[in-house]
């Protein structure tokens, strides 16, 4: 098969579309003929040499894909050769074939194209597990999603609106904020021009956010605590602004607040399967009924993954960048 390999970590041209050995599905796995994959922040870090795949994972980048099942490993039930699926991966999506644990498969939702479906598993699983399973966002609460126009952000806005929450977002341009508004965001904050703590306080009569989904990390930790409501929950899923910061326990204590941080990729198989099953039960019906939709910035040929990474790194996109085989 062919895959995007990284012979030597570096700039986007480090990505090389090469012939590699076919994967063999192990016990409990299926082999998927890939239709498309999608670019995630983690792929960029992996390409730069800062994020090695977890033990046992494919060495190629790609945390999600869509395609057709072409072979079943032993012990797989409930799936058949020819099924159109999308899948959460711990790597290997940037390839023409990938072996996937059956617990990480999802059917392509009705009404969504096969290529488009490639951009769903990672963002839906990340948003669902963090905003709803960890932070328990409830109807009429307020979610603050940093990076509202990102793949993660566009899904967070839609899922939070679907449960009846108020959604505030930060983004770095008027165009990106307009896209967030179209998806249902109620409070739009340009982080380059506004102080998000003050802007959120203005918009919530001083209450702040019940849940914050943060992709910035250290640089925002203290301000995120300021932006939290009493009983608020901060979930950190990205460290674009660094990993180490001082945590003011006094602020946490006064607000009876909680801070959590999670990573999806390194979770054990059973935890990933449980998240995927919950996504299928709770989120797939919202997608199939058209309440929630994949937001695709553009589709590029997989062999042009370097171009896709350049776009991602310049933050020139809104939603997901897909790589089609
Ligand atoms: N922990 C996990 O399991 C997990 C899983 C998936 C993704 N993630 C993380 O989630 C983040 C988003 O992923 P993605 O694939 O959706 O990437 P993406 O589309 O490239 O999104 C990056 C986003 O970060 C925003 N951002 C950067 N600096 C910011 C700042 N100072 N304030 C507010 N927003 C800022 C960007 O906003 P502008 O474009 O407006 O500047 C952009 O929307 C990444 O950090 C990724 O590593 C974590």
């Amino acid at each position: 098969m062919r895959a995007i390999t990284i012979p030597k970590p570096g700039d986007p041209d480090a990505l090389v579309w090469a012939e590699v050995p076919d994967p063999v599905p192990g016990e409990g796995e299926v082999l998927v003929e890939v239709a498309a994959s999608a670019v995630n922040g983690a792929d960029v870090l992996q390409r730069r040499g800062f994020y090695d795949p977890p033990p046992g994972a494919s060495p190629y980048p790609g945390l999600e894909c869509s395609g057709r099942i072409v072979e079943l490993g032993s012990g797989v039930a409930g799936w058949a050769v020819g099924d159109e699926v999308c899948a959460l991966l711990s790597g290997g999506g940037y390839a023409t074939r990938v072996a996937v644990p059956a617990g990480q498969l999802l059917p392509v939702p009705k009404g969504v194209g096969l290529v488009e479906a490639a951009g769903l598993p990672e963002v839906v699983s990340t948003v669902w597990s963090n905003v709803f399973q960890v932070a328990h966002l409830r109807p009429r609460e307020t979610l603050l999603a940093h990076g509202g126009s990102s793949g993660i952000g566009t899904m967070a806005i839609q899922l939070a609106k679907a449960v009846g929450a108020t959604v505030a977002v930060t983004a770095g341009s008027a165009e990106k904020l307009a896209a967030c508004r179209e998806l249902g965001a109620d409070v739009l904050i340009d982080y380059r021009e506004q102080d998000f703590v003050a802007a959120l306080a203005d918009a919530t009569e001083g209450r702040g956010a019940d849940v914050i989904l943060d992709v910035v990390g250290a640089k925002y930790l203290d301000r995120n605590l300021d932006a939290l409501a009493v009983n608020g929950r901060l979930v950190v899923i990205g460290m674009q602004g660094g990993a180490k910061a001082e945590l003011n326990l006094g602020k946490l204590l006064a607000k009876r607040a909680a801070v959590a941080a999670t990573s999806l990729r390194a979770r054990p198989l059973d935890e990933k399967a449980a998240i995927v099953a919950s996504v299928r039960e709770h989120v797939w019906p919202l997608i199939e009924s058209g309440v929630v939709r994949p937001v695709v910035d553009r589709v590029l040929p997989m062999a042009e993954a370097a171009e896709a990474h350049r776009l991602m790194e310049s933050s020139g996109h809104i939603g997901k960048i897909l790589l089609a085989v």
Side-chain angles (χ1 to χ4, degrees):
M1 68 162 189
R2 292 187 85 89
I4 293 286
T5 60
I6 311 173
K8 190 166 172 271
D11 65 20
D13 294 320
L15 300 173
V16 179
W17 186 227
E19 289 280 345
V20 297
D22 274 39
V24 179
E27 194 182 342
E29 293 184 338
V30 308
L31 188 64
V32 172
E33 186 90 51
V34 174
S37 185
V39 183
N40 284 282
D43 310 342
V44 172
L45 291 177
Q46 181 173 340
R47 189 207 75 221
R48 292 169 62 201
F50 299 135
Y51 192 11
D52 288 338
S58 162
Y60 316 121
L63 298 182
E64 53 193 339
C65 75
S66 61
R68 283 187 192 80
I69 295 179
V70 289
E71 192 181 330
L72 301 179
S74 62
V76 173
W79 299 98
V81 169
D83 283 352
E84 291 194 338
V85 293
C86 52
L88 181 68
L89 308 171
S90 48
Y94 290 20
T96 53
R97 293 186 153 203
V98 64
V100 187
Q104 289 165 221
L105 293 169
L106 287 153
V108 172
K110 289 183 197 72
V112 175
L114 182 60
V115 167
E116 234 185 342
L120 285 171
E122 172 74 13
V123 290
V124 175
S125 302
T126 301
V127 172
W128 180 252
S129 58
N130 287 290
V131 175
F132 296 93
Q133 296 184 314
V134 173
H136 301 288
L137 181 71
R138 288 183 284 265
R140 290 181 296 285
E141 286 195 327
T142 298
L143 169 73
L144 168 63
H146 287 300
S149 67
S150 66
I152 293 287
T154 53
M155 186 50 63
I157 295 168
Q158 296 184 80
L159 286 180
K161 290 306 293 178
V163 304
T166 298
V167 179
V169 293
T170 59
S173 75
E175 186 203 355
K176 289 180 175 176
L177 289 170
C180 296
R181 183 195 294 282
E182 239 173 74
L183 291 168
D186 305 282
V187 181
L188 309 170
I189 304 167
D190 187 332
Y191 72 80
R192 291 177 197 219
E193 297 189 347
Q194 292 170 277
D195 168 12
F196 72 83
V197 180
L200 186 71
D202 281 350
T204 57
E205 295 171 348
R207 268 194 82 249
D210 300 288
V211 174
I212 300 178
L213 183 63
D214 178 53
V215 295
V216 177
K219 195 171 129 197
Y220 274 6
L221 180 63
D222 198 54
R223 278 184 284 162
N224 276 333
L225 296 188
D226 291 336
L228 272 184
V230 170
N231 292 316
R233 290 86 71 196
L234 164 64
V235 195
V236 181
I237 61 162
M239 297 179 291
Q240 297 176 84
K244 289 188 184 171
E246 202 171 270
L247 175 66
N248 185 335
L249 292 170
K251 288 185 183 180
L252 262 194
L253 201 140
K255 289 187 172 176
R256 302 185 293 285
V259 181
T262 77
S263 159
L264 184 58
R265 189 183 197 179
R267 287 198 182 207
L269 286 184
D270 58 336
E271 287 186 25
K272 284 189 186 169
I275 290 170
V276 167
S278 185
V279 158
R280 187 171 178 175
E281 182 186 347
H282 298 284
V283 183
W284 248 226
L286 295 172
I287 297 174
E288 295 194 331
S289 62
V291 172
V292 171
R293 62 179 174 86
V295 178
V296 175
D297 181 88
R298 73 194 67 186
V299 184
L300 293 172
M302 195 169 282
E304 291 173 24
E307 189 51 39
H309 275 219
R310 270 185 211 103
L311 184 64
M312 185 88 172
E313 282 178 285
S314 65
S315 219
H317 61 294
I318 290 174
K320 299 288 294 188
I321 304 164
L322 304 185
L323 294 172
V325 171

